[in-house]
Amino acid sequence: MIDRNRRGLVLAAGGVLAAGAVGDMAWAAPPDRKLGYAIVGLGSYGLGIIAPQFKNCKNSKLVALVSGDAAKAKRVAQEYGVPEKNLYNYQNYDEIRNNPDIDIVYVCLPVSMHAEYTIRAAKAGKHVLCEKPMAVSSAECESMIAACRQAGKKLMIGYRCHFEPYNLEARRIARAGEIGKLRYFRSEHGFHFRDPNAWRLKKALAGGGSMMDIGIYALNAARYMTGEEPTAVYAQETTDRKDPRFREVEDMIGFQLEFPSGVIGSCQSMYSANQNHILLVGDKGRVEMEPATGYQGNRMWVGGNGRDKEVTPPPGPGATQWAGQLDHMAQCVLQDREPIVGGQEGLRDLRIIEAIYQSAREQKRIVLKA
Amino acid sequence: MIDRNRRGLVLAAGGVLAAGAVGDMAWAAPPDRKLGYAIVGLGSYGLGIIAPQFKNCKNSKLVALVSGDAAKAKRVAQEYGVPEKNLYNYQNYDEIRNNPDIDIVYVCLPVSMHAEYTIRAAKAGKHVLCEKPMAVSSAECESMIAACRQAGKKLMIGYRCHFEPYNLEARRIARAGEIGKLRYFRSEHGFHFRDPNAWRLKKALAGGGSMMDIGIYALNAARYMTGEEPTAVYAQETTDRKDPRFREVEDMIGFQLEFPSGVIGSCQSMYSANQNHILLVGDKGRVEMEPATGYQGNRMWVGGNGRDKEVTPPPGPGATQWAGQLDHMAQCVLQDREPIVGGQEGLRDLRIIEAIYQSAREQKRIVLKA
């Protein structure tokens, strides 16, 4: 386990690095130094997507599991070489404080449990990587940030696209002015939600519907592609409440973002149709991505005339977007840096999502507080 | 010149056709019977696009020109074999009433002149095909409709895409349920407006900016693709008023449409970036078009997975979209039918555009009157 304070002292003793310079050490981390992760929640994402990724990492290893299903945990532990002593359940979770193998906890639980399991991890002295959306409300986000700050622990949100080569290259192109002055950002994100019994369709567990789960990709992309924060939103919702899937949460929500520079952001979130698309229109050209934020198979076109020119981006920071994400968190801990997608990033999205829901409910434009 | 009343009597005398059945005669018109058109306004559209199209027509011929530039009119007349006696200017325009060669007037003037030249044509006993947007205001549209009704003359608006094979096929697919239940319509229409001195950038002549000129394609497509009329709109405008092109009219306007079935329409209009795109998303697939409403080179993809399957539509009603449009109007006159894009179609768009401008100005959702 890395002690942030001790690390800080070591650096200070070196007498070379100013606080602001620490960030530049990003890639100076010993490549063979691996921090230990505990995955909390062995659902489709934690088990299906995250667990297999540690083999692609330089600074991260899977050392512990937290699950309500002891048999499943044991089976997964065997598969990934996790020692049985490092298996926890939701009752004895706080005992991770006594386990020096665990540096970072990765919270892969239903959204309504993010706050509790992040705060308990921080209190147990562990750094936290928490899946998006950060929590069911901005108030919960604030308490998560406060708990980690108080414990002196890092908090990062699982915005994997910030480590995904296509998204990084599109952002670079947009911000470098290569398509001229940015005028318009548009994104649709949606898929067919099939299982009416899934936790993501329960308001109490998910906090909301497609907006919280998949629409957040469009919202977050609008912010990282433009480099701006929206000042106002307008949203309209269409949900068939007779559809058994949508008794509690929204299906389709369109939201419009106003940015200070005048860029218009226009986004769509859906649980009843497949769409995964980002378009950036500048006055000298455009960047189009489809699929834009997929697990794999993303594609990108850059130029002035439709999809004439397909572009393959340079490699991202990790072997995969998840490896980049896991190692970034580990490196932030090793080097006492703030993650590029910390708690504030998650909080900002949640505040905007709350305004989007309010706008759809009240059918009016909502001005966002600075 | 076809006398609508006389034609009506002939049909009645036949004693076979009920009023409702007249429309079924659409393609029974004698293919060698051609009605005479007068083009009013020899600008880039009237001269560059419409005049060359008569050679592709079955029921339409160019017989007269109306222009403020006598030398230009004479030159064009020679090119197209228009007799010199059929050349008019804006002063002696009303004398077309005495010219039996002219059945239909095609108004290709700046938007602010549409109402006057449509009404004068109707009063001169001529049918009118008028370019879109129909007029600078819904009030003007209403007076154009009234004038044509009073004179017993047909009025059609130049919505060429209703005769364009890709748009017709996309509409058929959408309305036939081939992509399932329609969820979402999106369209961007925009181009770089270069010349700061063009009449389209003068509020008094154009009535508005990109919305009136190019955004109307997205609006009209949202209506004809879905087959629904919007019940409410929300719009946001971004215009750099320091840009010499945009001192009087808007550059970029995004508008959201609510449809009775729950379909969300999301559109964007721009004078500062190139984009020509339509996307229809259903719960079983999608139709994508890009370019969607071009003069030529339109493309379309249909299916469930991005642009996997490109589709070539069956031929449209005419050799070109303009020939289909010109001949449709001629056939409507020959058979005493109402054009599929009559004055009411233009009026509906103008009412929605007025609500869009109001929404952008007041930054609030505007409910449309039924």
Side-chain angles (χ1 to χ4, degrees):
Chain A
M1 186 165 65
I2 295 296
D3 183 330
R4 176 179 172 268
N5 294 326
R6 186 158 57 81
R7 175 91 192 157
L9 281 170
V10 170
L11 284 172
V16 182
L17 294 165
V22 173
D24 301 331
M25 283 181 66
W27 303 104
D32 54 353
R33 179 79 185 276
K34 290 193 174 187
L35 298 194
Y37 269 88
I39 295 180
V40 187
L42 297 179
S44 60
Y45 198 75
L47 179 56
I49 303 296
I50 297 304
Q53 284 296 330
F54 289 94
K55 67 174 182 291
N56 299 317
C57 291
K58 294 177 191 165
N59 301 110
S60 312
K61 59 186 175 184
L62 180 58
V63 299
L65 302 171
V66 182
S67 171
D69 182 337
K72 187 183 198 177
K74 206 165 166 177
R75 201 170 63 240
V76 175
Q78 278 171 347
E79 185 181 346
Y80 288 99
V82 171
E84 208 161 322
K85 73 172 181 69
N86 286 0
L87 301 187
Y88 297 85
N89 57 41
Y90 299 123
Q91 285 69 49
N92 66 12
Y93 174 62
D94 305 289
E95 294 172 18
I96 59 172
R97 80 171 66 239
N98 303 316
N99 191 333
D101 293 352
I102 302 169
D103 299 292
I104 304 164
V105 157
Y106 195 153
V107 178
C108 296
L109 294 164
V111 185
S112 64
M113 299 168 77
H114 286 186
E116 177 188 344
Y117 284 82
T118 293
I119 293 167
R120 283 169 72 181
K123 286 185 176 166
K126 305 301 179 186
H127 304 282
V128 181
L129 175 49
C130 176
E131 251 319 295
K132 42 84 5 210
M134 184 171 170
V136 297
S137 70
S138 61
E140 282 193 351
C141 295
E142 284 164 358
S143 57
M144 292 159 78
I145 292 168
C148 291
R149 189 190 298 123
Q150 204 164 1
K153 296 295 152 188
K154 305 290 181 198
L155 173 58
M156 174 170 161
I157 311 303
Y159 288 109
R160 61 182 169 78
C161 294
H162 292 248
F163 305 92
E164 195 282 322
Y166 285 82
N167 283 269
L168 292 175
E169 179 66 359
R171 182 173 70 175
R172 185 198 67 72
I173 290 167
R175 297 217 196 161
E178 292 182 15
I179 55 170
K181 189 181 172 192
L182 214 54
R183 307 296 294 141
Y184 174 55
F185 169 93
R186 194 244 308 150
S187 178
E188 290 108 21
H189 273 75
F191 63 93
H192 275 285
F193 211 110
R194 307 283 181 188
D195 176 9
N197 300 311
W199 67 259
R200 286 201 180 274
L201 300 180
K202 311 295 172 200
K203 178 94 162 71
L205 292 172
S210 75
M211 182 67 226
M212 293 287 276
D213 179 26
I214 185 76
I216 195 173
Y217 284 96
L219 169 60
N220 196 253
R223 295 175 48 235
Y224 65 70
M225 292 291 183
T226 61
E228 297 187 56
E229 294 298 330
T231 53
V233 299
Y234 176 83
Q236 59 186 121
E237 188 201 322
T238 291
T239 302
D240 178 2
R241 294 291 175 187
K242 292 189 297 294
D243 186 319
R245 297 172 299 174
F246 304 127
R247 290 207 182 104
E248 298 188 18
V249 300
E250 82 280 359
D251 168 13
M252 184 161 66
I253 195 159
F255 53 102
Q256 315 308 315
L257 305 166
E258 294 174 35
F259 289 103
S261 71
V263 171
I264 289 180
S266 182
C267 304
Q268 196 70 21
S269 173
M270 293 164 281
Y271 261 168
S272 60
N274 292 323
Q275 194 71 0
N276 188 303
H277 191 273
I278 288 174
L279 176 72
L280 284 152
V281 176
D283 65 3
K284 292 195 173 65
R286 63 182 215 180
V287 177
E288 188 171 14
M289 304 166 73
E290 183 172 39
T293 62
Y295 286 173
Q296 55 195 19
N298 291 337
R299 295 178 71 183
M300 176 163 58
W301 297 264
V302 181
N305 193 14
R307 294 190 180 186
D308 285 355
K309 190 183 158 205
E310 186 162 3
V311 167
T312 303
T320 67
Q321 53 188 318
W322 298 278
Q325 173 183 277
L326 292 163
D327 279 348
H328 175 72
M329 179 60 169
Q331 289 156 12
C332 285
V333 171
L334 285 165
Q335 300 165 346
D336 193 16
R337 294 189 297 137
E338 280 310 302
I340 58 169
V341 279
Q344 291 296 332
E345 182 78 2
L347 170 61
R348 277 189 206 107
D349 274 352
L350 255 293
R351 283 187 178 144
I352 301 166
I353 289 173
E354 287 170 344
I356 286 169
Y357 282 142
Q358 185 191 349
S359 173
R361 209 165 46 236
E362 300 178 2
Q363 299 192 309
K364 67 177 195 190
R365 175 177 176 264
I366 304 292
V367 174
L368 293 159
K369 295 184 195 87
Chain B
M1 184 167 67
I2 295 297
D3 182 331
R4 176 180 171 267
N5 293 325
R6 185 158 58 80
R7 175 89 192 160
L9 282 172
V10 170
L11 284 172
V16 183
L17 294 165
V22 173
D24 300 331
M25 284 181 65
W27 302 105
D32 54 353
R33 178 80 187 274
K34 290 193 174 187
L35 297 194
Y37 269 88
I39 295 180
V40 188
L42 298 178
S44 60
Y45 197 75
L47 180 55
I49 303 296
I50 297 303
Q53 284 296 329
F54 289 93
K55 68 173 183 291
N56 299 317
C57 291
K58 293 177 191 166
N59 301 108
S60 312
K61 59 185 174 185
L62 180 58
V63 298
L65 302 170
V66 183
S67 171
D69 183 337
K72 187 183 197 178
K74 207 165 167 178
R75 200 171 64 241
V76 176
Q78 278 170 350
E79 186 181 346
Y80 288 98
V82 171
E84 208 161 319
K85 74 172 181 69
N86 286 0
L87 301 187
Y88 296 85
N89 57 42
Y90 299 122
Q91 285 70 49
N92 66 12
Y93 173 63
D94 306 290
E95 294 172 17
I96 59 172
R97 80 171 66 239
N98 304 316
N99 192 333
D101 294 351
I102 302 170
D103 299 292
I104 303 164
V105 157
Y106 194 153
V107 179
C108 297
L109 295 164
V111 186
S112 64
M113 299 167 78
H114 286 186
E116 178 188 343
Y117 283 82
T118 293
I119 293 167
R120 283 169 72 182
K123 286 187 176 164
K126 305 302 178 185
H127 304 282
V128 181
L129 175 49
C130 176
E131 252 317 296
K132 42 94 346 221
M134 183 170 170
V136 299
S137 70
S138 61
E140 281 193 351
C141 295
E142 284 164 358
S143 56
M144 293 159 78
I145 291 168
C148 291
R149 189 190 297 123
Q150 204 162 1
K153 297 295 153 188
K154 306 289 182 199
L155 173 58
M156 174 170 161
I157 310 304
Y159 287 110
R160 60 181 170 79
C161 294
H162 291 247
F163 306 90
E164 196 282 322
Y166 285 82
N167 283 268
L168 292 175
E169 179 66 358
R171 181 174 69 175
R172 186 197 67 72
I173 290 167
R175 297 216 197 162
E178 292 182 16
I179 55 170
K181 190 181 171 192
L182 214 55
R183 307 297 293 143
Y184 174 54
F185 168 93
R186 192 244 307 150
S187 179
E188 290 108 22
H189 272 76
F191 63 93
H192 274 284
F193 211 109
R194 306 284 182 189
D195 175 9
N197 300 312
W199 67 260
R200 286 200 180 275
L201 300 179
K202 310 296 172 200
K203 178 94 160 72
L205 292 172
S210 75
M211 182 67 226
M212 294 287 275
D213 179 26
I214 185 76
I216 195 172
Y217 283 95
L219 170 60
N220 197 253
R223 294 176 49 236
Y224 64 71
M225 292 292 183
T226 62
E228 296 186 55
E229 295 297 330
T231 53
V233 300
Y234 177 84
Q236 58 187 123
E237 188 201 321
T238 291
T239 302
D240 179 1
R241 294 290 176 188
K242 293 190 298 291
D243 187 319
R245 298 172 299 173
F246 304 126
R247 289 208 182 105
E248 299 188 19
V249 299
E250 82 280 0
D251 168 13
M252 184 162 65
I253 194 159
F255 54 101
Q256 315 308 315
L257 305 166
E258 295 174 34
F259 289 103
S261 71
V263 171
I264 289 180
S266 182
C267 303
Q268 196 71 22
S269 173
M270 293 165 281
Y271 262 169
S272 59
N274 292 325
Q275 193 73 359
N276 188 303
H277 191 273
I278 288 175
L279 176 72
L280 283 152
V281 176
D283 65 3
K284 292 195 172 65
R286 63 183 215 180
V287 176
E288 188 172 14
M289 304 167 72
E290 183 172 38
T293 62
Y295 286 173
Q296 55 195 19
N298 291 337
R299 295 179 70 184
M300 175 164 60
W301 297 264
V302 180
N305 193 14
R307 295 190 179 184
D308 285 355
K309 190 182 158 206
E310 186 162 4
V311 166
T312 302
T320 66
Q321 53 187 317
W322 298 278
Q325 173 183 277
L326 291 164
D327 278 349
H328 175 72
M329 179 60 169
Q331 289 156 11
C332 285
V333 171
L334 286 165
Q335 300 165 346
D336 193 16
R337 293 189 298 137
E338 280 309 302
I340 58 170
V341 280
Q344 290 297 332
E345 182 79 2
L347 170 61
R348 279 190 204 106
D349 275 352
L350 254 294
R351 282 188 178 144
I352 301 166
I353 289 173
E354 286 170 344
I356 286 168
Y357 283 143
Q358 184 191 349
S359 173
R361 210 166 45 235
E362 299 177 3
Q363 300 192 308
K364 68 176 194 190
R365 175 177 177 264
I366 304 293
V367 174
L368 292 158
K369 294 183 195 86

